[in-house]
Amino acid sequence: MKKAFLALLAALMAFAFVSCGGKEEAAEVAMVKEPVEFRLNNGAEPESLDPHLIQGVPEHRIYEALFEGLITYNPEDASPLPGVAESWEASNGGTTYTFKIREGLVWTDGVKIDANTVVDSWIRMLDPATGSNYAWFPNMFIKGAEAFNSGEAGADSVQIRALDDMTFQMDLLGPLPYVIGALAHYSFGIVPMHAIEKFGNDWTKPENFVGNGPYVLESWVPQDKITVVPNDKYWDAEAVKLDRVVYLPIEDQNTSHNMYLNGEIDWDTTAPQDQIEQIQFRDDYHATPQLGTYYYVFQNEKKPFDDPRVRKALSMGFNRKNLVEKITKAGQIPAYSMVPDMAGYPAISGNFEDFDEAKKLLAEAGYPGGEGFPAFEILYNTSEGHKKIAEYIQSEWKNNLGIDVSLLNQEWATYLSTRNMGDFQVARAGWIGDYQDPNTFLDMFITGTPMNGGKYSNPKYDELISKAATMPDGPERMSVLADAEKIFILEDMGVMPIYYYVTINMIDLNKWGGFNFNVLDTHPPKDIYLK
């Protein structure tokens, strides 16, 4: 049970003067301070704490506490801020970036961090032996990275280098206008190679842990909690105000909500869908626009989902407006494109609901009235919210298309593994932008990337995404990305967009400061404090 944690029992320094043996003595009443502990529902047990082996939002929240890369996020608007790099400059038409590393940086064990640390870390991330699911991400930026990551070339093919101890440089595939914002992502994380070499896979255990973020790992009790405490060797340690952050892996939204109401957690990262209509009137309920899309992945290589007519029929065969109004209820927006409206990139017009057209497409594919359509499952990670959405779509497909579908839920880590392997028929997914550019929603679907669990593949799509990566920022580049998305969604229906996210957070902002709302829904604990 938790109560508010900053209680300055005596916020004053008092001196009481008393007479003793003809002398006056000052009796100092020391200022007493209780530790400030911040507890949050992180939604799931993290897959790992190793920045090169993670891939989800729960893991990202912990990463922001324990590690810092060259760039970090501005908590106010998610724009890039200097992290390990104190400055940078672009050259060669925006295809080369040179970073100045901060002086005096060390890991929690006192070992120095310099430009060579960055080089060694990124090489580890890209090394096929590491087995990172997110290596495709730096592959889309750094010249030579994909060749090394695919095993076609050695590490020396990766065009990154330490010019001296405090200067790091990288060459890009093209003038990628979004690169600085993307470097805050954990796939560009800096890791303690000396600790990894010493402890192997056990380096993230509390007794072995070494980090460079504003906090250091204090404890990790699987399926119970993770706690972090301030890192006194962090370069900006004075900015850290919380004495402890506690991450709880609560999957059940009702349990989490009740704990929040009881004062057992300070930040609930979700809210029960069936209570949204009542909760939304609370002052501590916050729903704001988010750069993210909730969607279903089709297994494009498996029958009958290898037929775009089937994928289009399923996408046209349910009512999204009713879904967001009657099921999710938090202000989500029906989605017919993968990329939401962004500055300079209006969302494309996708395949809207059309039950008659859906039945026609299904009949053309050999399943008139749903007859003969093979049984299949919708896979989702354990969550009451995901379950209700799946049940709604299950009912819509039955009523509108005559198709029977069952539901399958798995806990977070198992679900991620299943989806990455492509061992499903239809799976729920969500994507929050890693940076503020349409490319963040599109490049993961090129042929063969590990995040492309649905095995979507279209050479023309791949060509357009690669072409956009070589173009300078501007309308022409946005037009190429839009052409790619039209192929992906309008023609192929590679995935099925359902709605655009809104952030849902419950936190008392009269009590906690430094918690800002931004489209990436990122809230670094470094900036949170008790008012």
Side-chain angles (χ1 to χ4, degrees):
M1 184 66 70
K2 173 181 176 298
K3 298 289 184 184
F5 273 85
L6 182 62
L8 295 179
L9 299 180
L12 61 149
M13 191 73 75
F15 294 88
F17 293 91
V18 295
S19 176
C20 181
K23 298 179 180 179
E24 290 186 341
E25 295 180 352
E28 179 179 344
V29 180
M31 186 169 63
V32 179
K33 176 187 174 185
E34 285 191 7
V36 180
E37 187 171 284
F38 184 73
R39 298 165 66 89
L40 63 106
N41 172 23
N42 201 29
E45 177 69 15
E47 189 178 21
S48 171
L49 299 188
D50 186 330
H52 296 169
L53 299 178
I54 62 178
Q55 57 179 316
V57 172
E59 292 82 0
H60 178 244
R61 292 195 188 100
I62 300 171
Y63 170 81
E64 288 188 312
L66 299 178
F67 298 95
E68 186 171 274
L70 291 174
I71 304 297
T72 188
Y73 292 113
N74 183 332
E76 295 185 2
D77 59 6
S79 61
L81 285 178
V84 165
E86 64 179 7
S87 63
W88 57 86
E89 61 180 17
S91 58
N92 295 331
T95 60
T96 297
Y97 277 78
T98 305
F99 298 85
K100 189 68 176 177
I101 306 298
R102 291 182 190 277
E103 295 282 351
L105 296 183
V106 296
W107 296 100
T108 48
D109 61 358
V111 173
K112 182 182 178 181
I113 297 172
D114 59 21
N116 292 293
T117 311
V118 183
V119 172
D120 294 342
S121 295
W122 289 15
I123 291 297
R124 176 186 184 257
M125 172 68 182
L126 294 167
D127 191 333
T130 303
S132 173
N133 283 316
Y134 236 111
W136 65 271
F137 193 61
N139 286 351
M140 300 297 295
F141 292 82
I142 302 170
K143 188 178 290 185
E146 186 172 9
F148 173 51
N149 183 240
S150 65
E152 297 176 356
D156 57 356
S157 69
V158 183
Q159 296 303 300
I160 58 176
R161 62 197 69 89
L163 299 183
D164 56 48
D165 282 356
M166 308 312 294
T167 309
F168 171 80
Q169 189 176 73
M170 66 178 183
D171 296 334
L172 303 179
L173 295 170
L176 311 176
Y178 42 85
V179 64
I180 293 299
L183 294 184
H185 191 266
Y186 46 73
S187 61
F188 290 102
I190 300 170
V191 295
M193 295 300 297
H194 62 289
I196 295 170
E197 291 170 2
K198 182 176 181 180
F199 299 111
N201 293 334
D202 288 339
W203 78 272
T204 56
K205 290 184 176 179
E207 61 272 24
N208 304 328
F209 183 82
V210 176
N212 73 327
Y215 295 86
V216 63
L217 182 64
E218 178 188 42
S219 70
W220 182 5
V221 182
Q223 303 299 333
D224 183 16
K225 64 181 177 182
I226 286 174
T227 65
V228 303
V229 294
N231 170 14
D232 61 6
K233 293 184 174 60
Y234 178 59
W235 67 272
D236 196 18
E238 291 186 0
V240 178
K241 303 302 182 185
L242 302 174
D243 293 308
R244 179 176 289 110
V245 182
V246 182
Y247 298 83
L248 303 174
I250 307 166
E251 293 183 340
D252 185 86
Q253 294 176 341
N254 289 304
T255 299
S256 177
H257 185 61
N258 289 333
M259 291 180 68
Y260 176 81
L261 296 179
N262 292 334
E264 297 173 77
I265 57 176
D266 301 295
W267 172 23
D268 195 357
T269 55
T270 184
Q273 287 177 354
D274 57 1
Q275 299 183 53
I276 287 287
E277 290 171 314
Q278 295 77 41
I279 294 172
Q280 65 181 338
F281 295 107
R282 293 176 58 102
D283 291 338
D284 52 0
Y285 171 80
H286 312 279
T288 58
Q290 185 175 20
L291 188 63
T293 304
Y294 189 100
Y295 62 103
Y296 275 8
V297 184
F298 298 117
Q299 179 44 265
N300 282 249
E301 291 184 338
K302 293 182 179 177
K303 291 184 179 301
F305 308 104
D306 59 345
D307 188 334
R309 293 172 298 184
V310 169
R311 301 193 296 262
K312 288 181 184 177
L314 293 174
S315 186
M316 294 177 177
F318 70 101
N319 190 314
R320 290 164 175 77
K321 185 172 183 289
N322 284 343
L323 171 68
V324 300
E325 290 181 350
K326 297 179 180 178
I327 305 297
T328 61
K329 303 179 184 177
Q332 292 89 349
I333 301 170
Y336 304 91
S337 65
M338 188 63 199
V339 185
D341 270 325
M342 300 180 70
Y345 189 93
I348 68 165
S349 181
N351 296 307
F352 290 80
E353 291 92 356
D354 187 333
F355 299 157
D356 290 337
E357 179 65 16
K359 292 174 183 174
K360 178 184 174 187
L361 288 168
L362 209 56
E364 290 176 359
Y367 309 105
E371 185 178 346
F373 202 90
F376 69 100
E377 295 174 328
I378 297 174
L379 170 68
Y380 63 95
N381 57 296
T382 305
S383 157
E384 191 62 25
H386 298 322
K387 179 182 178 184
K388 289 182 182 299
I389 292 169
E391 288 174 338
Y392 171 83
I393 293 176
Q394 176 189 43
S395 174
E396 286 278 288
W397 282 348
K398 175 63 177 177
N399 294 333
N400 300 330
L401 304 178
I403 288 176
D404 291 311
V405 55
S406 57
L407 309 183
L408 172 65
N409 76 296
Q410 296 178 341
E411 57 84 22
W412 178 242
T414 304
Y415 154 82
L416 287 177
S417 176
T418 302
R419 219 186 70 189
N420 289 341
M421 292 188 297
D423 189 18
F424 63 87
Q425 295 152 313
V426 177
R428 91 93 201 164
W431 189 257
I432 309 302
D434 291 323
Y435 48 90
Q436 299 181 55
D437 187 276
N439 191 68
T440 189
F441 289 91
L442 299 174
D443 62 0
M444 63 180 163
F445 295 109
I446 64 173
T447 303
T449 60
M451 300 297 286
N452 185 4
K455 313 298 182 188
Y456 172 73
S457 179
N458 186 317
K460 183 61 177 175
Y461 177 80
D462 297 350
E463 178 185 333
L464 290 172
I465 296 297
S466 298
K467 178 181 178 181
T470 65
M471 300 175 69
D473 200 13
E476 290 186 9
R477 175 176 163 272
M478 293 297 185
S479 178
V480 170
L481 289 172
D483 288 343
E485 190 185 4
K486 288 172 185 174
I487 292 172
F488 178 43
I489 297 297
L490 202 57
E491 296 180 17
D492 293 344
M493 207 79 238
V495 299
M496 184 178 82
I498 297 176
Y499 62 76
Y500 304 127
Y501 278 100
V502 294
T503 67
I504 298 176
N505 293 291
M506 296 202 70
I507 183 170
D508 183 357
L509 298 183
N510 292 317
K511 179 179 178 181
W512 300 102
F515 192 99
N516 301 280
F517 300 102
N518 54 69
V519 294
L520 298 188
D521 201 25
T522 180
H523 309 282
K526 169 186 173 181
D527 301 284
I528 298 173
Y529 61 90
L530 182 67
K531 291 182 175 178

